[in-house]
Amino acid sequence: MTDQAKTSEMANAIRALTMDAVQKANIGHPGMPMGAADIATVLFTKIMKFDPKAPNWPDRDRFVLSAGHGSMLLYSALHLLGYEDMSMEDIKNFRQLGAKTAGHPEYGHASGIETTTGPLGQGIGNAVGMAMAEAKLAADYGAELVDHYTYAIAGDGCLMEGISQEAIALAGHLKLNKLIVIWDDNDITIDGAVSLSDSTDQHARFRASGWNTLSVDGHDQDAIEAVLLEAQKSDKPTLIAAKTVIGFGAPTKAGTSAAHGAPLGDDEIAGARKALGWDHEPFFVPDAVMDEWRLAGLRSTKHRIAWEERLEGKGAEFKANFDRRETGGLPTGFKKAIANFKREIADEKPKWATRVASQKSLNVINSVLPEMFGGSADLTGSNNTKSGDQVAFTADDRSGSYVYYGIREHGMAAAMNGIALHGGLAPYGGTFMVFTDYCRPAIRLSALMGIRSIYVMTHDSIGLGEDGPTHQPVEHLAALRAIPNLNVFRPADATETLECWEISLKSKKTPSILALTRQGLPALRTSFDEKNRCAKGAYSLYGDSDAEVVLFASGSEVSVAMDAAKALEKDKHSVRVVSVPCMELFEKQDADYRKEIIGSAKSYVAVEAGIEMGWQKYIGQNGKFVGMSTFGASAPGPELFEHFGITAKVVVEAAKSQL
């Protein structure tokens, strides 16, 4: 068998496994994997650096299947390459309950799945973040330890989604030359020909964004190898337009939308087997073909072993720190630094906005965590995300730890996910709280994947004032709290802000939202307590355990509740104030603690400058909520709180109405 025939058979193994798995599941997307099989074969067997026996090797090349609907392309390749946790049984159970082979690739289900993709364009954003992480870590550690590429396969849908422009513009600006995106240019979407909905010159678009662009026949494996090697030499990120036929090999459906998102059917599969010369039973790969794939999977073992020897040669202390950063652990000095700053806050009792408290916390955190990698979507001075000693990460200086993301909230959040997934860095990024709407798809995916992305969202309520209702978040806290596995923090003062940062950094498998104020807030925690009281999500800040009135609040409204408590006490009512910096953590506490905090009072009031949704479980059906039920308005913040009735006086009236 000639080399060309051999590699064609290797690609056909992907096509056959795809057809069979989709047909058995009776649902799926066979067209993209069949069309891109030659690309994947070259990429995985001749170009990429990885080791199936050590799938988490830090210096491996990263692969992102941005066109996640073509998941069988990745699953087939992982099985053929010898990844132990991608068996033939997993392939046979494609899209079935409990299987690793979900409809779209899901991070954590199996080795070799670098990120969760499916929502189109997100993968490109992740890939940009991974390339940023590689460039930053190469500056930190040197090319002898960090020297790898990030590859992504994207379809027309990925390129049409708006997030792709944010991502590619950032990548081009930063000259991320070790990022290579392969465009599966098959001219087909679900509705039919791409020409029905789009006529963009993608080459011109990418070049205008600072990219190198190349073209190749996506079924000519020699040409694919040559163009990938050429892309590696570029001083810019590269787009490779690979012209392919969707559903390659299918006798009547190839090149049509009929191959995109449905099983081919028994007759079409039989015809495809004949056209491809694949005369084998379903889910069978001949030993000769499998051997070639498995040998290809071992190509980089020697490179991985040499890399491990280089890391060992750096000494035990260096290696321990490298490994700590890779696994997301915190150094021994972190706890002491937090405690020292908390003591300072207790002594000084500053009346900071929590966005200011966040920046001052970052000054401390960044001094002991070199892995912190932050930024803002063009709101650095407003989000207070840049600590005093940070310098910019740029195309010319990769040593910096601060990213100017530009007005690209969605692209920033997706890139942060890629940075977190890459390992070695702790990403955080800021914008206004109201623009979590722009970031939401990426925030949701960070929660789904269980990764440590930290979103610093300032200007968290009507308290921001004159910018008006377009910029004043009202429903956003409730909307974010609806996302599973997302900690939504709304600290009430400087001490709580520091504690919320501490929890966020310790939460390796849960992303965090830090909802922070523009306006200054009084210090409520006025004595030092080394224990992190925010860690339980809610705690009694003031008052007696058996009080007749319980006031719940978060963020800036905790001080409103405290003022109301003092007024109620003057009228001889016993009051307890509960600060609720994180509902999600409170819900995780045991029943006894939750019962202790909620208590059995006669009167319950919750106060928050947002909508009521979510508070009923604490105040009950008869409790009162003081907050927002409409959009905000344009006026100074204090006037707005008065106008919308988020005041101590209104809280007092709500409490008394139940007594």
Side-chain angles (χ1 to χ4, degrees), residues 49-85:
K49 178 179 68 172
F50 58 91
D51 188 348
K53 303 303 180 185
N56 295 320
W57 172 29
D59 200 35
R60 68 191 181 279
D61 287 339
R62 295 336 193 246
F63 172 74
V64 176
L65 185 65
S66 189
H69 56 274
S71 56
M72 275 306 305
L73 180 80
L74 180 56
Y75 301 150
S76 299
L78 294 177
H79 171 68
L80 293 166
L81 287 164
Y83 282 80
E84 292 179 358
D85 57 353

Side-chain angles (χ1 to χ4, degrees), residues 342 499 525 529 531-541:
K342 186 184 284 191
E499 290 184 346
R525 297 269 294 279
D529 183 352
K531 181 174 63 176
N532 189 317
R533 301 192 72 189
C534 290
K536 290 191 173 183
Y539 64 96
S540 293
L541 175 66

Side-chain angles (χ1 to χ4, degrees), residues 180-192:
I180 299 172
V181 173
I182 304 161
W183 169 28
D184 180 28
D185 182 13
N186 60 31
D187 289 318
I188 294 294
T189 67
I190 292 175
D191 278 351

Side-chain angles (χ1 to χ4, degrees), residues 105-107 115-123 126 163 410 413-414 417 421 439-451 453 455 483-485 511:
E106 293 194 32
Y107 173 73
T115 181
T116 295
T117 54
L120 296 177
Q122 288 289 333
N126 295 163
I163 188 176
H410 198 180
N417 288 345
L421 289 161
C439 306
R440 188 179 179 88
I443 294 173
R444 181 177 186 270
L445 283 172
S446 61
L448 178 62
M449 289 187 279
I451 56 177
S453 293
Y455 305 97
I483 298 177
N485 192 42

